Amino acid sequence: GRATSAAIMADVRPASTPEEKAAARAKWAKIADEMELEMSESTGRGRARSGPNWKFFTPIIWAPVFPVIRLTLANRPTARLRTFIGAIVVANIHAFWLLNDPNGELFTPRQT
């Protein structure tokens, strides 16, 4: 089965003989292969993506928001500043959310 990181680290000691070094290399190569296989399965790598990656088009939506804020709140400097700060915070949270969705699950149609 799978070994946990605690179990792997429990018997870590420096290899002193060439046989131990070869065994350690083989062990870590196996672990690296398992991790790579697990990552490729979880990310869906190898599957061709059709169409554009829509999450990178969101700046086109956000870009006109800031001039609209500036124009609509021109006579209210305090409200304009607070709205700018709020829009920047929301845009950054939105960007963080989209960029931490590597599988693109947000914009994938659900299978029903």
Side-chain angles (χ1 to χ4, degrees):
R2 283 180 142 164
T4 64
S5 60
I8 292 169
M9 297 306 288
D11 70 334
V12 173
R13 59 181 172 73
S16 56
T17 66
E19 293 83 19
E20 287 178 339
K21 289 179 182 179
R25 281 190 200 100
K27 174 183 173 182
W28 290 107
K30 180 182 175 192
I31 291 169
D33 290 342
E34 288 174 357
M35 289 174 63
E36 187 174 333
L37 178 65
E38 185 177 304
M39 284 177 52
S40 68
E41 288 172 352
S42 68
T43 61
R45 199 169 18 138
R47 177 179 59 142
R49 184 181 182 101
S50 62
N53 197 348
W54 291 105
K55 69 182 177 182
F56 293 118
F57 284 98
T58 56
I60 294 172
I61 306 299
W62 277 104
V65 169
F66 295 100
V68 168
I69 292 171
R70 188 177 66 108
L71 293 172
T72 57
L73 297 175
N75 296 328
R76 300 176 61 196
T78 305
R80 183 178 61 215
L81 178 63
R82 290 178 183 166
T83 307
F84 262 117
I85 291 170
I88 290 170
V89 167
V90 170
N92 282 306
I93 289 171
H94 184 246
F96 182 78
W97 178 46
L98 290 176
L99 292 176
N100 284 305
D101 180 34
N103 297 336
E105 295 166 352
L106 294 173
F107 297 103
T108 304
R110 291 190 176 159
Q111 304 293 327
T112 55

